[in-house]
Amino acid sequence: MIPNYLQGWGLGRHYGAGSDAFHLVVRGDGGGRRWALDREELDAAVTDRTRVILVTNPNNPTGAVLTEDEMSAVVGAAARVDAWLVADEIYRGAELDGRTSPTFWGRYPKVVVTSGLSKAFALPGLRLGWAVAPPELIERLWIHHDYTTLTPNMLSDRIAAAVMEPPRREAALARTREIMRRNLPVLEAWISEQGNLFDYVRPVAGAIAYLHYHLPIASTELVDRIRVEQSVLVVPGRQFGMGNDLRIGFGSDPDHLRKGLERMGETLRQLR
């Protein structure tokens, strides 16, 4: 699935015969615009040679969430060729409207769901995550894990266990959603101030926004200029397999966010 971080694309090329992409595309008009699954491209990408289908839902970098019909289409494509379906659901629980997005778990026998504490729970420093999969696969994953990571540190393990207790879990997710609701208007006001510079589809989940810009400069070059000139870090569309796009995180302190956006605006004004 693209746009996405490209580790999966690289792993497919390294360990398998290659990686074929299918895209999310912007569809709809006005307030109904959304990132939608390109089902025709999905069907073309999944063949008898496909061993694994990798999706991220909610999606990084767009913040999009697949509909039930789109999830069924992904499951159907995997079942058609008896492929594994790996669903990265690390942003699940960070939905702006508070309605937890549906999971792929339980929809198909050969599903692996991965997640962790770094995104929706806002605890990246703990460096802990998990996989949910059929027991026989979990056993194999555990064996591989023992060769790559001996043990988490004791403090991270204790904190993670405390956070995952149901009342604290819900409190942590509620805090994330509150930060997003507070900060997104700051970002959207700045986007509006830029006139026709950006095409923008509102994220459904995650403190991330994905913007297509209209400037004659590649995304990696633009991000480097913003970094060097303004000491502000954003992610170029090229890192997600796309083009003239930027991913902006808006989960920080709102005053810090405003200052960062103001600095970005200075470089963007020079390029218009």
Side-chain angles (χ1 to χ4, degrees):
M1 175 184 283
I2 289 179
N4 211 329
Y5 275 128
L6 297 181
Q7 289 97 326
W9 179 79
L11 290 171
R13 297 177 67 206
H14 184 75
Y15 290 106
S19 299
D20 297 307
F22 57 95
H23 286 77
L24 298 179
V25 292
V26 177
R27 289 184 176 149
D29 299 309
R33 295 175 78 229
R34 62 178 294 269
W35 287 91
L37 176 68
D38 188 327
R39 301 190 195 190
E40 292 183 0
E41 198 171 59
L42 169 67
D43 289 338
V46 177
T47 71
D48 291 341
R49 301 178 64 194
T50 302
R51 295 294 174 263
V52 178
I53 299 174
L54 176 62
V55 298
T56 302
N57 189 55
N59 179 251
N60 179 14
T62 65
V65 173
L66 296 174
T67 65
E68 287 285 347
D69 285 346
E70 290 169 336
M71 293 177 75
S72 295
V74 173
V75 170
R80 173 168 53 85
V81 297
D82 194 34
W84 282 94
L85 172 57
V86 178
D88 176 356
E89 297 183 358
I90 201 164
Y91 281 97
R92 187 168 181 260
E95 294 80 10
L96 276 162
D97 64 6
R99 293 181 296 177
T100 303
S101 53
T103 178
F104 274 97
W105 181 248
R107 295 172 184 260
Y108 175 59
K110 298 177 71 173
V111 170
V112 180
V113 171
T114 64
S115 192
L117 295 174
S118 65
K119 301 299 182 184
F121 291 92
L123 293 167
L126 299 186
R127 313 309 296 167
L128 289 178
W130 56 84
V132 181
E136 61 275 12
L137 180 60
I138 289 294
E139 182 178 2
R140 291 171 56 194
L141 293 175
W142 205 298
I143 292 170
H144 285 288
H145 178 272
D146 285 343
Y147 279 93
T148 59
T149 306
L150 291 177
T151 179
N153 74 72
M154 185 179 296
L155 185 58
S156 289
D157 194 45
R158 291 290 296 274
I159 294 173
V163 169
M164 292 304 288
E165 292 177 3
R168 291 195 182 100
R169 178 185 185 277
E170 294 309 312
L173 295 176
R175 173 183 175 272
T176 296
R177 293 191 293 266
E178 178 58 31
I179 291 171
M180 292 164 55
R181 295 187 191 113
R182 180 193 68 199
N183 288 2
L184 183 57
V186 175
L187 174 62
E188 290 184 330
W190 179 82
I191 293 171
S192 179
E193 292 169 0
Q194 308 311 307
N196 296 322
L197 179 60
F198 294 115
D199 286 334
Y200 164 68
V201 177
R202 202 173 206 247
V204 178
I208 47 177
Y210 196 63
L211 314 179
H212 180 76
Y213 62 84
H214 302 285
L215 290 171
I217 182 173
S219 61
T220 50
E221 183 182 351
L222 175 58
V223 165
D224 280 343
R225 280 197 58 171
I226 293 170
R227 175 183 60 83
V228 172
E229 296 175 4
Q230 307 298 340
S231 191
V232 172
L233 294 178
V234 293
V235 186
R238 185 176 179 184
Q239 295 293 332
F240 304 106
M242 301 288 278
N244 285 10
D245 309 282
L246 301 173
R247 191 196 75 171
I248 299 176
F250 58 90
S252 60
D253 174 83
D255 289 335
H256 189 74
L257 174 63
R258 288 188 185 92
K259 291 175 183 176
L261 293 172
E262 289 170 2
R263 290 188 180 191
M264 279 185 61
E266 293 177 14
T267 293
L268 296 174
R269 282 191 291 273
Q270 297 171 17
L271 293 168
R272 295 193 197 191

